[in-house]
Amino acid sequence: MQNTATPTHCPYCALQCGMNLTPTPDGTVEVSERADFPVNRGALCGKGRTAPAVLASNVRLTSPLVRSGGELVPASWDEALDRIAAGLRRTRAEHGPDAVGVFGGGGLTNEKAYTLGKFARVVLGTSQIDYNGRFCMSSAAAAGIKAFGLDRGLPFPLEDIPKTGCVILVGSNLAETMPPSLRFFNELRENGGTLIVIDPRRTKTAEQADLHLAPRPGTDLALALGLLHLVIAEGRVDAEYVQERTVGWEDARAAAMAHWPEYVERITGVSVPQLRETVRLFCEPESAMVLTARGPEQQSKGTDTVGAWINLCLATGRAGRPLSGYGCLTGQGNGQGGREHGQKADQLPGYRKLDDPAARQHVAEVWGVDPESLPGPGRSAYELLDALGTDITSLLLMASNPVVSAPRAAHIEERIRSLDFLAVCDVVLSETAALADVVLPVTQWAEETGTTTNLEGRVLLRRRAITPPEGIRSDLEVLHELAARLGVEKGFPTDPEEVFEELRRASAGGPADYSGITYRRLVEEDGVFWPCPGAAEAVERPVAGDTTATAHPGTPRLFLDRFATPDGRARFVAVSHRAVAEEPDDEYPVLLTTGRVVAQYQSGAQTRRVAELNAAAPGPFVELHPRLAARLGAAEGDPVAVVSRRGRAVAPARITNAIRPDTVFMPFHWPGEGRANTLTNPALDPTSRMPEFKACAVRLEAVRG
């Protein structure tokens, strides 16, 4: 073992913070600062610092498991792979290819996401593939495509944030979800800029803001429309920009004018003076940004809600200009790349549409198959999970834990249990893996090389720093072996760089064009922003280390010359406020909203196995206002039951003035009786198919004894 530091990236959130990993003589791995990486400049949160803890053999899976006599028992790789192949083959033979489902994850590298999508469509011939990123950024993606013709989380680097005049941060608690990014917002304020935070809770992020607005959950759409109404009424529209760079303004204007400030105040609970102050702070500087996260996006009207915030940017000339624009703070580690290269139900690599004949022809040529053989679009994530055990009877699942993370989770757990066959590839025995017929132990971030794409659209190389334990294989090896057992001997390489070279060809000419990116460039340039076309579209620029070649420099900042629409103009979309899918009533009088805490990540499958993180956040809780607690007769730490139309969860009370009296909050990282997603509503956005995690009607009950 070489005791030298390997520069790589954190396995958790979409910042993909840079870090160095050094093996130690005792077999552990040491994390050290990597100050040269511009996203985090050496800073790491607790999750990043402790990430190697999950590499330990007493934490992670070390052998394939198969179900025997109702129990999971160790097995050889051949036996486990043979069982999976037999199960998938049997389902296809008895019920057809669409009876086989594939479910991926936003933590998979680009190479693995690409290969999983190819495996589903070429080997299995199924249309039934989606991934857990559908639960994360899909509404922002849909709104961005409608408005700009392209979805990339941030159309500018994080380094632009301190240089702008004002940022409106909507539904993001980045002080807890991606702490190293907070420095950019602190620098914004130090430079004289303004931070406005919109959140029903006074979070750690809201405490840093110059202005905090606390709307009722599910009313972000009305809030954005009310702000646009005031922009119009106060004469702050950039008419020249609207005329030259947009279309659809008149319809959007009419929709906004129906949302006068007093009406919006009644809906949201945000006062008219606060609305006016927000407009002033946003419009007076030369530049400004709106950044959204899961708060406005995880709603049954999330696409329209994000569209309304984009309309505010367009009306004020804040998109496609330096140090201005709309951006989405992508959540999962490879949530951006994961949705670009084919594991989403309606997409092919390069962010191509699966129902586009030209896209099908291009990708089919790269794959060496007939375009007619490729299945059409399938079900979205929740709809796929909801169909388990009925239309879909076998499932191959990678890097996801829907038993904890899916809405209406008790129902989804029931659907998973009803499957004829379930195979799971994971690092640990998650709650979902524990229900499987076969579980395969796969390599982790530090044990494999591959690319990810962070929230800025910066493609990065995560490098292998250590050798995995004996008996552990990569997801690419798993898909290679399964493809061979199912009759496809070629086309599924196990070397990630070879996969990436094919991905480059498949993405060439698509919206997310990676064809000009190579592993060598990623090492020498510390990441490259897509789109980055290949040599045919290259500009004159020397490739690092090779003065004889030219390459496209990548695109750190989008839309400065034109938007990615056919005519180069951005689209206003006329939207109007509508209520959440499930409003409070006499039986369920309170709104529940959900989110994360700093010491845990997503379903907690990995972070709940790290002692330091569990000490900081040992379990679920219910955050409620003192007035609500008094009516319930609950004191700090008392068990409280939260009941929705879908189920019941119990967790200790955390009483605070930092939340609205009509709202309760639960983090969603834990299984068992404190599982927040037992309660959440799977009502879907009609465009993005995003479930409404952020607002559902509940009642509270004191738990006695």
Side-chain angles (χ1 to χ4, degrees):
M1 180 182 290
Q2 292 184 340
N3 294 327
T4 56
T6 300
T8 189
H9 297 274
C10 178
Y12 291 115
C13 83
L15 287 178
Q16 288 296 280
C17 291
M19 59 169 61
N20 290 313
L21 294 182
T22 306
T24 61
D26 64 2
T28 60
V29 182
E30 183 179 276
V31 174
S32 60
E33 180 179 296
R34 186 179 162 197
D36 61 328
F37 187 61
V39 171
N40 62 309
R41 305 177 206 160
L44 293 169
C45 72
K47 295 186 291 292
R49 286 188 296 98
T50 61
V54 189
L55 299 168
S57 59
N58 63 337
V59 173
R60 53 102 54 81
L61 292 167
T62 56
S63 168
L65 303 174
V66 299
R67 194 162 295 279
S68 177
E71 301 292 328
L72 286 171
V73 298
S76 71
W77 271 95
D78 281 341
E79 179 185 357
L81 290 165
D82 287 346
R83 283 206 190 189
I84 296 174
L88 300 179
R89 187 185 300 112
R90 182 172 58 250
T91 297
R92 291 175 63 208
E94 294 177 357
H95 305 292
D98 275 359
V100 179
V102 177
F103 200 85
L108 295 175
T109 63
N110 291 316
E111 293 80 359
K112 293 192 284 188
Y114 170 86
T115 304
L116 185 63
K118 181 181 179 182
F119 178 85
R121 295 179 174 105
V122 172
V123 178
L124 299 176
T126 182
S127 67
Q128 301 303 305
I129 175 172
D130 211 71
Y131 83 126
N132 61 18
R134 178 79 68 168
F135 298 157
C136 198
M137 298 76 55
S138 57
S139 291
I145 291 170
K146 281 186 177 183
F148 307 131
L150 185 70
D151 156 46
R152 195 180 85 185
L154 292 181
F156 41 72
L158 284 165
E159 66 187 42
D160 284 2
I161 289 173
K163 304 169 189 174
T164 193
C166 177
V167 172
I168 299 179
L169 190 60
V170 190
S172 172
N173 182 17
L174 53 82
E176 296 202 62
T177 58
M178 43 183 67
S181 71
L182 191 62
R183 66 170 57 191
F184 294 101
F185 298 87
N186 291 336
E187 289 171 12
L188 163 75
R189 299 183 68 212
E190 291 168 3
N191 292 340
T194 302
L195 176 62
I196 301 169
V197 171
I198 297 172
D199 197 301
R201 306 164 59 223
R202 187 164 181 80
T203 63
K204 292 181 180 178
T205 308
E207 290 173 355
Q208 307 298 315
D210 297 282
L211 178 63
H212 172 219
L213 310 182
R216 187 172 177 264
T219 64
D220 309 88
L221 174 53
L223 180 59
L225 287 163
L227 295 175
L228 181 53
H229 177 111
L230 285 171
V231 165
I232 297 165
E234 295 177 4
R236 297 181 184 270
V237 174
D238 188 333
E240 182 179 355
Y241 173 95
V242 168
Q243 181 176 0
E244 292 181 355
R245 299 203 62 187
T246 72
V247 296
W249 167 237
E250 289 304 322
D251 288 343
R253 181 186 185 281
M257 292 311 291
H259 297 76
W260 59 95
E262 292 77 13
Y263 172 56
V264 169
E265 181 181 72
R266 290 198 301 273
I267 294 170
T268 65
V270 177
S271 70
V272 173
Q274 284 185 311
L275 296 174
R276 293 189 185 279
E277 180 67 358
T278 300
V279 168
R280 184 187 71 80
L281 292 172
F282 184 68
C283 291
E284 285 188 352
E286 291 185 7
S287 58
M289 301 172 179
V290 172
L291 306 178
T292 67
R294 308 300 79 79
E297 297 163 17
Q298 288 181 327
Q299 299 183 25
S300 60
K301 53 182 184 296
T303 302
D304 284 357
T305 301
V306 174
W309 289 104
I310 291 175
N311 285 351
L312 180 66
C313 289
L314 294 176
T316 53
R318 307 299 204 183
R321 283 181 168 171
L323 307 180
S324 289
Y326 163 76
C328 160
L329 296 171
T330 300
Q332 294 192 75
N334 196 32
Q336 180 70 53
R339 67 182 182 269
E340 293 168 3
H341 296 300
Q343 66 171 332
K344 196 160 171 273
D346 57 350
Q347 286 175 196
L348 288 169
Y351 224 139
R352 288 181 158 93
K353 298 296 291 183
L354 188 53
D355 56 6
D356 176 1
R360 294 169 66 87
Q361 179 69 37
H362 174 86
V363 174
E365 287 179 2
V366 174
W367 288 351
V369 300
D370 184 343
E372 295 299 318
S373 71
L374 298 177
R379 292 176 173 89
S380 71
Y382 180 79
E383 292 165 306
L384 189 158
L385 295 171
D386 190 39
L388 298 181
T390 54
D391 294 340
I392 300 171
T393 58
S394 290
L395 181 68
L396 173 64
L397 183 145
M398 284 187 169
S400 188
N401 189 19
V403 165
V404 178
S405 63
R408 197 185 174 197
H411 169 72
I412 296 304
E413 180 178 345
E414 179 184 311
R415 301 316 317 141
I416 289 173
R417 289 180 181 275
S418 73
L419 283 165
D420 292 343
F421 183 78
L422 171 63
V424 173
C425 300
D426 211 331
V427 171
V428 297
L429 191 67
S430 70
E431 287 71 24
T432 304
L435 304 179
D437 296 283
V438 181
V439 183
L440 299 181
V442 290
T443 51
Q444 298 193 49
W445 56 287
E447 301 164 345
E448 59 185 12
T449 293
T451 61
T452 62
T453 308
N454 81 344
L455 77 172
E456 308 165 295
R458 188 194 305 252
V459 184
L460 303 164
L461 186 64
R462 280 205 314 222
R463 281 169 272 196
R464 173 168 164 160
I466 60 171
T467 302
E470 185 177 351
I472 306 297
R473 299 187 185 181
S474 72
D475 293 290
L476 294 179
E477 291 174 305
V478 168
L479 293 172
H480 171 86
E481 292 287 344
L482 289 177
R485 283 167 168 78
L486 292 169
V488 180
E489 297 286 344
K490 296 181 179 179
F492 290 86
T494 60
D495 176 61
E497 187 168 9
E498 186 177 348
V499 175
F500 190 78
E501 288 301 305
E502 183 179 302
L503 183 158
R504 292 175 62 203
R505 299 195 303 274
S507 73
D513 190 335
Y514 283 32
S515 61
I517 304 174
T518 64
Y519 272 28
R520 177 179 175 179
R521 284 192 67 180
L522 294 179
V523 170
E524 293 174 343
E525 300 175 38
D526 222 352
V528 178
F529 290 84
W530 72 260
C532 182
E537 299 87 4
V539 297
E540 291 297 319
R541 173 191 177 281
V543 177
D546 183 357
T547 57
T548 65
T550 59
H552 190 284
T555 315
R557 295 168 181 85
L558 295 170
F559 313 137
L560 295 180
D561 299 318
R562 69 191 309 274
F563 294 98
T565 55
D567 60 5
R569 292 170 174 259
R571 271 68 171 140
F572 281 99
V573 178
V575 294
S576 296
H577 166 73
R578 59 185 186 274
V580 297
E582 188 177 75
E583 285 282 353
D585 55 22
D586 291 343
E587 188 176 2
Y588 300 95
V590 177
L591 278 169
L592 167 71
T593 192
T594 63
R596 287 167 49 191
V597 297
V598 66
Q600 302 288 355
Y601 182 72
Q602 305 300 72
S603 74
Q606 294 187 41
T607 52
R608 284 187 275 111
R609 288 168 164 81
V610 178
E612 180 180 329
L613 301 179
N614 277 334
F621 57 87
V622 181
E623 188 176 279
L624 67 164
H625 191 275
R627 293 210 299 266
L628 192 54
R631 288 201 298 271
L632 188 64
E636 180 76 15
D638 285 352
V640 171
V642 185
V643 184
S644 78
R645 289 178 173 85
R646 290 152 295 282
R648 183 175 190 264
V650 178
R654 183 172 293 182
I655 301 171
T656 174
N657 286 303
I659 192 167
R660 291 173 55 95
D662 58 3
T663 301
V664 295
F665 167 82
M666 291 186 71
F668 59 78
H669 309 290
W670 288 274
E673 70 171 4
R675 182 174 59 185
N677 277 319
T678 296
L679 309 167
T680 48
N681 190 356
L684 301 180
D685 180 287
T687 302
S688 69
R689 315 309 288 168
M690 167 76 84
E692 191 152 66
F693 287 99
K694 288 303 182 190
C696 70
V698 298
R699 68 170 180 266
L700 303 184
E701 298 173 353
V703 179
R704 306 302 179 191

